[in-house]
Amino acid sequence: MSQTNVWDKVDQYITERLIQNDAILEKVLSTNQKAGLPAYDVSPTQGKFLNLLIQMQRSSRILEIGTLGGYSTIWMARALPTEGKIVTLELDSHHAQVAAGNLCLAEVQDKVELRVGDALEQLAQMSNEGVEPFDFIFIDADKPNNPYYLKWALHFSRPGTVIIGDNVIREGEVINENSQDPRVQGVRAFYDLLADENRIEATAIQTVGSKGYDGFVFGFVTC
């Protein structure tokens, strides 16, 4: 059995034992696939991990950069208290349309503000609107812009805000300083900014599973 098959089977085992079967989330993934969205969604284990982090932190305001079909959005929205809110940003209007339908299916649409358009432009607009800081920020969009997303995440943070960045290992390519892949270089610049930024304490965790070999950055805003 290949290593990748082992990862898949372990993920399946964990999902079967610890994550309740959810017909709505399964329908969301099916809808995304039928709509031609790329299979970039977090895995069920990762979705529940985000959900648990939000519950542990008792977050009531979440910013998500990169909606895709809303699968991770639903996992996070379900962790919010009744008065909680998640603002999620999506560039692609087709993806956003699919996500809007999925959010309604999951009955979390009242907790979600879905903003469509270039994320950097949306973030600047939010700043102009005087949007208040968030408790939890999930960055999962185009990797070349990760450093800029982090700067905006810090702008919309307060002491105690948690910032999570997805896909930060790139199957180990993150250590290749000569990579010609702009996604790898974007992630490397993301790390550089984290290393130099004194407002945030951060680490990264490598992950394996149904999504392959990758990882998360975990940041805690201190000031």
Side-chain angles (χ1 to χ4, degrees), residues 71-117:
Y71 182 76
S72 56
T73 318
I74 293 167
W75 270 111
M76 292 189 289
R78 286 177 168 181
L80 287 169
T82 303
E83 71 280 5
K85 195 78 173 180
I86 175 169
V87 177
T88 184
L89 312 180
E90 176 54 45
L91 170 65
D92 189 292
S93 59
H94 173 58
H95 295 177
Q97 183 179 15
V98 174
N102 287 334
L103 297 173
C104 288
L105 176 67
E107 299 183 345
V108 296
Q109 69 275 13
D110 291 342
K111 292 185 177 181
V112 181
E113 178 185 351
L114 173 57
R115 300 179 67 129
V116 185

Side-chain angles (χ1 to χ4, degrees), residues 29-128:
L29 292 177
S30 175
T31 298
N32 291 352
Q33 182 180 28
K34 291 178 181 177
L37 273 61
Y40 295 158
D41 309 279
V42 298
S43 68
T45 53
Q46 293 168 342
K48 186 168 183 180
F49 183 61
L50 292 171
N51 180 286
L52 291 174
L53 285 176
I54 290 164
Q55 291 188 65
M56 287 188 289
Q57 198 204 10
R58 298 181 180 175
S59 301
S60 61
R61 287 180 51 77
I62 300 172
L63 172 63
E64 178 183 43
I65 304 175
T67 314
L68 194 59
Y71 182 76
S72 56
T73 318
I74 293 167
W75 270 111
M76 292 189 289
R78 286 177 168 181
L80 287 169
T82 303
E83 71 280 5
K85 195 78 173 180
I86 175 169
V87 177
T88 184
L89 312 180
E90 176 54 45
L91 170 65
D92 189 292
S93 59
H94 173 58
H95 295 177
Q97 183 179 15
V98 174
N102 287 334
L103 297 173
C104 288
L105 176 67
E107 299 183 345
V108 296
Q109 69 275 13
D110 291 342
K111 292 185 177 181
V112 181
E113 178 185 351
L114 173 57
R115 300 179 67 129
V116 185
D118 180 273
L120 295 176
E121 294 177 3
Q122 289 290 328
L123 290 162
Q125 179 62 33
M126 288 165 58
S127 180
N128 292 335

